[in-house]
Amino acid sequence: VSDPLRGPGSASGPASRPDRLSEDVSGSDVEALLVTRLVNVEYLTGFTGSNAACLVGPDIRTFLTDFRYADRAAAEVDGWNVEIVTGQWLTGLARHVSDSVPGGRIGIEDDHVTVRTGRLLSEELTGGAFLSDSGGMVEQLRRSKDAGEVAAIAAAAELTDSIYAELFARGLVGRTEADVAGYAVGRMREQGAEPSFTPIVAAGPNGASPHAEPGPRRIEPGELVVIDMGSKLDGYCSDCTRTVATGDLVDQAGEIYEVTLKANEAALGAVAAGGSATEIDAIARDLISEAGYGEQFGHGLGHGVGLEIHEAPRLGPRSEDTLVEGDVVTVEPGIYISGMYGVRIEDLVVVGAGGIADNLSSHPKALTLVD
Ligand code: ZN
Ligand code: ZN
């Protein structure tokens, strides 16, 4: 996988990303979509600079950036009509949009454009062109990962798995949470990756907080330690959580681990194209509730992962998503007992064709004792 961001686009291959977007725009109520969210611009064009936009319609493929990025655009952006905006950025964008789609309805990514930017852009449009809220179109396209993207995510997951093995071989007892997190990040960087988010290393009572930040607390014997981390490699993220024990566990900690593992495995078994996000969430949630810990599983079951660590779709009680082939999602049930400990077990799964889901997280899940 030389360049997963460029994706397929050859004349004989599957439709390119801009072509797929163009098809979606044709079927929508706007004549063109102005993409200003950088991660979406990068997904569509391969451009990695910090200021750009693109306008996509049935017959429009325009990439816009400013003079600072003229060289980078020439090197990275292929198959687009490249416009270098001079002068004020929003004014230039508005001028280009007004000229390209005279009097047209222009979709904007209203889930990310600020109210102020939307207003300024709207005021600068001429000739009757006007803005319409069309957020989420590129995010929906991004859900279906192609083979190159899946390979990039799988490589990031594999790297993360190898770092779990190193962390546990190195030992946890006596180290601080911050030391363990820092070591993991260092190992990612030494291998050409970045953390896809600040790792969570939460021992004992800190594990009861799903978003604990690693701190100076030393890991003691006989605790549960929740470690949630992911690598970002070639632009693509991975995400995995393992919970281990540093010795014999007190009261029902072991039972809670087994309930969480059962919920994780039952939900994994239900991940397939056509599956309802709420139903898959409910499989895990019902098992946890039946064991008496429903109130202690206070977050959704999972989320999509790709260029961003959290993206579409969502698996949760209020999600309206249905899984499609190419979705890459986490399955991460957890039980959090305030003041005592927590357990979360998170795998990363690709939704394949014909009801097959492929688990990219291979680090073992049976409760492991780590000194
Ligand atoms: Zn995670
Ligand atoms: Zn996650």
Side-chain angles (χ1 to χ4, degrees):
V1 189
S2 54
D3 192 354
L5 269 173
R6 300 234 174 202
S10 69
S12 56
S16 72
R17 294 169 186 177
D19 284 351
R20 284 160 60 211
L21 179 61
S22 170
E23 214 167 281
D24 291 348
V25 170
S26 297
S28 76
D29 63 351
V30 297
E31 277 132 89
L33 178 71
L34 180 63
V35 180
T36 49
R37 200 177 172 219
L38 277 174
V39 62
N40 290 341
V41 172
E42 182 178 0
Y43 175 78
L44 292 168
T45 68
F47 181 75
T48 58
S50 69
N51 187 43
C54 43
L55 186 67
V56 176
D59 302 305
I60 304 171
R61 299 277 190 292
T62 306
F63 169 86
L64 303 106
T65 187
D66 64 67
F67 70 96
R68 295 171 300 163
Y69 289 120
D71 289 345
R72 191 187 290 223
E76 293 179 339
V77 180
D78 195 19
W80 290 73
N81 160 39
V82 174
E83 293 273 336
I84 306 299
V85 172
T86 52
Q88 221 275 324
W89 172 246
L90 282 183
T91 306
L93 272 192
R95 187 173 56 239
H96 183 82
V97 168
S98 303
D99 291 349
S100 304
V101 196
R105 179 191 284 260
I106 314 296
I108 55 164
E109 300 183 292
D110 63 301
D111 47 352
H112 288 92
V113 171
T114 64
V115 171
R116 179 184 150 86
T117 297
R119 176 169 51 75
L120 291 173
L121 198 54
S122 193
E123 285 168 6
E124 299 268 7
L125 291 175
T126 56
F130 62 103
L131 301 180
S132 176
D133 295 342
S134 304
M137 289 181 83
V138 183
E139 283 80 359
Q140 282 303 311
L141 273 189
R142 280 172 42 198
R143 282 181 58 176
S144 293
K145 273 76 178 174
D146 62 39
E149 293 180 289
V150 171
I153 296 168
E158 202 181 316
L159 174 59
T160 306
D161 283 346
S162 75
I163 295 173
Y164 272 110
E166 286 180 42
L167 285 184
F168 299 149
R170 182 173 173 255
L172 296 173
V173 174
R175 299 188 190 283
T176 66
E177 296 169 344
D179 168 84
V180 175
Y183 180 82
V185 169
R187 290 296 293 137
M188 289 174 196
R189 296 207 164 118
E190 282 165 23
Q191 295 170 83
E194 283 292 312
S196 42
F197 56 93
T198 303
I200 293 169
V201 178
N206 291 347
S209 165
H211 291 285
E213 285 179 22
R217 186 181 182 285
R218 272 183 204 287
I219 299 170
E220 309 272 340
E223 292 190 321
L224 283 173
V225 186
V226 181
I227 303 180
D228 185 351
M229 63 182 181
S231 313
K232 188 171 192 176
L233 200 55
D234 292 329
Y236 282 84
C237 297
S238 71
D239 192 2
C240 182
T241 307
R242 289 293 180 264
T243 302
V244 295
T246 53
D248 290 338
L249 296 173
V250 292
D251 56 74
Q252 76 289 45
E255 177 202 325
I256 281 171
Y257 188 92
E258 294 309 319
V259 171
T260 309
L261 181 56
K262 219 167 103 184
N264 164 280
E265 286 176 341
L268 280 174
V271 169
S276 140
T278 47
E279 283 171 21
I280 297 167
D281 176 272
I283 289 170
R285 201 167 297 280
D286 290 351
L287 277 169
I288 290 174
S289 297
E290 281 160 23
Y293 301 107
E295 297 288 306
Q296 282 76 42
F297 175 23
H299 57 74
L301 180 68
H303 54 87
V305 173
L307 287 172
E308 293 179 285
I309 185 62
H310 292 119
E311 55 179 57
R314 301 273 163 182
L315 301 181
R318 282 170 298 282
S319 173
E320 288 172 2
D321 294 323
T322 299
L323 293 182
V324 296
E325 188 181 335
D327 272 331
V328 175
V329 293
T330 67
V331 171
E332 49 179 307
I335 298 177
Y336 309 93
I337 311 295
S338 181
M340 298 182 74
Y341 42 73
V343 174
R344 182 166 62 259
I345 303 171
E346 175 179 32
D347 289 327
L348 188 58
V349 201
V350 187
V351 179
I356 311 267
D358 190 12
N359 192 340
L360 301 177
S361 309
S362 63
H363 194 84
K365 290 186 283 187
L367 182 58
T368 307
L369 288 179
V370 176
D371 291 333

